[in-house]
Amino acid sequence: MNRSSLIFCRRQHRCHLQTLHAAHRSQGLTSCHQQPNPLSRSHRADVLLCLTACIAFLIYWINGSKKSTRNMPPGPTPLPLIGNLHSMDMNRPYKSLMELSEKYGEVFTVQFGPKKVVIIAGYKAVKDALIVQADDFGHRLEMPLYKLFGEEKGIIVSNGELWKSLRRFTLSTLRDFGMGKKTVQEKIQEELIPLIETIKSHNNKPFDSHIILNSAVANVICSIVFGKRFEHDDAKFKKLSRLMEENTQLAGESKLMVYNYYPLIGTLLGLHKQIVKNTQDQIEFVLECIKMRRHEFDENDITGFIDAYFMKQKQESVESETYFKDENLVYTVLDLFSAGSETTSASLGWALLLMAKYPEIQKRVQEEIRTHMKPGQMPTADDRRSMPYTDAVVHEVQRFANIVPLNLSHTTVNDVNFRGYSIPKGTEVIPLLTSVLYDKSQWKTPYEFNPNHFLDSSGKFVRPEAFLPFSAGKRVCVGESLAKMELFLFFTGLLQAFTFHPPAGVSREDLSLDPDIGLLLIPKPHLICAKLNN
């Protein structure tokens, strides 16, 4: 804290005392025999909080400045204590970072409060970081917000041998249960039927698709994890979905950025309390399901991921050190829900909204569906090969929607040389996915919804290398193959059954494509209509 700031604080404190004395004198309380206490208990608490905040700011500023800045990537000049936060759109930080990339290039440094953060922008730079130099950038950052969600357990925010063991087991188990295969396809088709019936029940009247889509997608992951599905009106199931959605929104709010970079201040202000409560409620739901599965467990009838985990625990019971403990099971299940439901349901929400906004694209998809599918026939993953335009639309929805704009933060395992710059060990690194999915050098019209990005001159489907909505490298999303299958089957099945359009009195130009505030970019609350196709 500089000298001028200290003088300002002293003056404020002196003025506060003078005001108190004046108030007491006006009430005839001061005399040579009765001296008032200038600071009441509440006032002392306020002063203590102020002093604590100042000390915390100073400590974090000093710690954040310890990392060597020698030959680090360039960036905007930070202010004391707040860094570059004053120039950031706290609700849309990815937009501010995109603007900075235009000025400072594909690798630059910003300062969020006391911490220096390296931003990697553009497809080529992100690819080099996450794939070519995967060992240098493959560590997940240990940050306060991540601890609230996962206590650095599970597979999303953990590191080291714990992460390797859990991720390897999870991928192997998901493949055993048919991830990307026909067995999972059947689970998705099973959810498509009640989804269509629910939408049909609205009789072409306006409805909010978010909860409906989220329930269908979440039930797919439930059938994989728990070995069973839930009814859409199940109270506990609905609560779990709501809690996950609420935490996703809270994690993207500016006050949580304050908590992330000033955890002591954030804790004093209680900015994290709702996320902690929601997460604890989710944990209790999962623990109850685990308890039920353990009671019904039959090693000759493995019905889901939790059963497979029990078998793994039994196999490793003789080992003194094992990563397959119950607490890691809880957080891994929550990770699977997070990776396998929110992002996919949000993508489907964007898909229906975009179809209502661009009816000519919707019409072309439906023509392809009628050409290659019989009436009433359930869509399959194999249909993608004969339906290139529909496949292109699904991929363009993912690119355009940009569901995870910032990616999840990484950190350097060692001192790293990258693009001619030195990045110290332990530096937070953000491989900016927005800059990849909207890279002007990779996409003809990056800021427009254009399915032709995924079609060649003859109309065949092509997948550009810059299509990285699931990130890349060692930390690529474990649910990628499941999400791809879900998106195609749900989208195709819904457009086979319905034509989506705006409510009466709302033009398609009025449909907003601005996302809601949150860690994930989901559509703002809106109503949509679904006309049953003949």
Side-chain angles (χ1 to χ4, degrees):
M1 183 176 294
N2 57 36
R3 179 179 176 83
S4 62
S5 297
L6 288 172
I7 292 172
F8 175 77
C9 289
R10 289 169 182 165
R11 286 177 178 172
Q12 290 290 94
H13 184 60
R14 188 162 56 246
C15 289
H16 183 61
L17 292 177
Q18 289 172 352
T19 301
L20 285 172
H21 281 302
H24 284 300
R25 285 196 299 270
S26 67
Q27 297 174 23
L29 294 176
T30 57
S31 69
C32 58
H33 300 293
Q34 187 179 9
Q35 293 294 328
N37 181 2
L39 290 177
S40 67
R41 182 176 298 176
S42 62
H43 290 135
R44 286 197 299 270
D46 290 341
V47 171
L48 180 61
L49 180 60
C50 180
L51 289 174
T52 303
C54 291
I55 292 170
F57 272 126
L58 188 59
I59 291 172
Y60 280 111
W61 176 257
I62 291 172
N63 288 340
S65 301
K66 282 182 179 178
K67 287 188 174 67
S68 172
T69 58
R70 187 176 181 181
N71 198 34
M72 280 193 73
T77 302
L79 295 178
L81 303 180
I82 66 171
N84 301 116
L85 291 178
H86 66 291
S87 61
M88 300 291 296
D89 181 343
M90 299 291 280
N91 290 324
R92 302 277 191 268
Y94 61 94
K95 287 190 174 182
S96 300
L97 295 177
M98 286 291 285
E99 292 172 0
L100 289 173
S101 70
E102 293 289 333
K103 181 177 181 179
Y104 293 101
E106 59 188 8
V107 188
F108 59 96
T109 303
V110 294
Q111 195 150 319
F112 291 153
K115 293 186 178 181
K116 292 180 175 62
V117 181
V118 171
I119 310 300
I120 301 179
Y123 164 66
K124 292 181 179 179
V126 169
K127 176 186 175 183
D128 282 352
L130 298 185
I131 299 177
V132 179
Q133 292 186 230
D135 290 338
D136 292 328
F137 295 98
H139 215 62
R140 184 69 76 208
L141 180 71
E142 297 176 4
M143 60 194 306
L145 182 59
Y146 291 173
K147 289 182 179 180
L148 294 182
F149 284 116
E151 290 291 337
E152 298 173 14
K153 298 179 177 68
I155 54 176
I156 291 182
V157 299
S158 61
N159 286 302
E161 289 302 318
L162 169 63
W163 169 73
K164 290 179 182 178
S165 296
L166 290 176
R167 183 180 174 88
R168 184 166 52 246
F169 169 78
T170 300
L171 287 172
S172 174
T173 303
L174 291 178
R175 281 194 294 268
D176 290 343
F177 281 104
M179 185 76 83
K181 300 176 183 178
K182 288 186 177 181
T183 48
V184 167
Q185 174 176 286
E186 292 170 359
K187 297 180 186 298
I188 299 170
Q189 291 171 335
E190 183 181 357
E191 291 304 321
L192 180 58
I193 295 171
L195 175 60
I196 290 175
E197 290 302 316
T198 301
I199 295 176
K200 188 187 298 184
S201 69
H202 289 281
N203 295 316
N204 200 22
K205 294 179 180 179
F207 68 97
D208 185 343
S209 66
H210 179 72
I211 296 177
I212 298 172
L213 294 173
N214 198 46
S215 295
V217 173
N219 244 336
V220 175
I221 201 69
C222 280
S223 64
I224 294 172
V225 172
F226 303 124
K228 70 170 188 176
R229 65 182 300 276
F230 291 85
E231 294 301 324
H232 289 191
D233 59 354
D234 183 282
K236 292 183 179 180
F237 176 65
K238 289 169 66 176
K239 182 180 180 180
L240 176 66
S241 298
R242 179 183 60 78
L243 291 173
M244 287 195 165
E245 178 186 353
E246 187 173 316
N247 268 6
T248 299
Q249 290 180 316
L250 288 172
E253 293 183 0
S254 56
K255 65 181 181 181
L256 261 296
M257 288 190 70
V258 174
Y259 176 85
N260 226 4
Y261 295 106
Y262 307 101
L264 180 56
I265 306 301
T267 300
L268 289 172
L269 297 176
L271 302 180
H272 64 308
K273 288 183 177 180
Q274 190 60 49
I275 278 187
V276 171
K277 182 181 182 303
N278 289 352
T279 302
Q280 189 56 46
D281 288 345
Q282 293 175 47
I283 289 173
E284 289 177 5
F285 174 87
V286 174
L287 284 172
E288 184 178 333
C289 292
I290 290 174
K291 181 179 180 181
M292 185 180 302
R293 289 307 311 153
R294 197 181 294 278
H295 178 71
E296 300 173 353
F297 175 64
D298 179 358
E299 61 181 70
N300 296 315
D301 184 23
I302 305 301
T303 61
F305 179 86
I306 292 178
D307 285 358
Y309 197 96
F310 291 159
M311 282 295 295
K312 185 68 173 177
Q313 286 181 320
K314 185 176 181 180
Q315 294 168 4
E316 298 206 348
S317 61
V318 295
E319 298 183 17
S320 58
E321 291 294 330
T322 178
Y323 298 114
F324 295 90
K325 300 177 181 178
D326 282 357
E327 59 183 356
N328 278 321
L329 173 57
V330 171
Y331 286 108
T332 300
V333 168
L334 289 176
D335 286 345
L336 289 173
F337 267 96
S338 176
S341 59
E342 283 291 314
T343 54
T344 303
S345 63
S347 297
L348 283 172
W350 280 113
L352 302 189
L353 178 61
L354 287 162
M355 292 304 95
K357 191 170 183 68
Y358 300 109
E360 67 282 1
I361 294 177
Q362 179 174 209
K363 182 178 179 180
R364 186 171 170 184
V365 169
Q366 291 171 326
E367 289 174 351
E368 188 174 66
I369 290 173
R370 284 193 293 269
T371 300
H372 296 282
M373 292 177 58
K374 297 178 181 178
Q377 174 188 335
M378 295 290 285
T380 68
D382 291 338
D383 290 328
R384 279 188 292 197
R385 300 173 187 173
S386 57
M387 299 170 61
Y389 188 77
T390 303
D391 203 11
V393 170
V394 171
H395 281 74
E396 178 65 357
V397 167
Q398 293 175 270
R399 185 204 69 82
F400 182 79
N402 184 31
I403 298 293
V404 191
L406 290 179
N407 206 333
L408 294 179
S409 293
H410 292 234
T411 187
T412 45
V413 181
N414 303 293
D415 292 344
V416 174
N417 291 316
F418 185 74
R419 287 290 205 271
Y421 298 109
S422 297
I423 305 176
K425 176 182 178 180
T427 301
E428 180 178 355
V429 176
I430 297 179
L432 189 60
L433 287 187
T434 302
S435 68
V436 178
L437 299 177
Y438 285 74
D439 190 329
K440 295 177 182 177
S441 69
Q442 302 294 315
W443 310 96
K444 292 181 180 179
T445 57
Y447 291 94
E448 296 178 13
F449 181 70
N450 181 6
N452 289 322
H453 286 141
F454 294 89
L455 297 169
D456 63 15
S457 57
S458 61
K460 293 182 179 179
F461 176 82
V462 292
R463 175 175 169 163
E465 292 184 355
F467 180 72
L468 300 178
F470 301 98
S471 193
K474 292 184 174 183
R475 292 282 179 171
V476 67
C477 177
V478 294
E480 178 178 1
S481 61
L482 173 63
K484 288 163 59 177
M485 182 180 287
E486 283 182 294
L487 287 172
F488 181 81
L489 296 183
F490 278 128
F491 178 74
T492 303
L494 290 176
L495 263 68
Q496 180 187 38
F498 305 102
T499 295
F500 295 91
H501 62 91
V506 178
S507 68
R508 62 190 185 92
E509 289 78 12
D510 293 331
L511 293 177
S512 174
L513 297 181
D514 291 330
D516 206 355
I517 295 173
L519 186 64
L520 303 180
L521 299 188
I522 65 175
K524 287 183 177 180
H526 64 280
L527 299 178
I528 197 171
C529 297
K531 180 182 178 182
L532 189 64
N533 294 331
N534 295 326

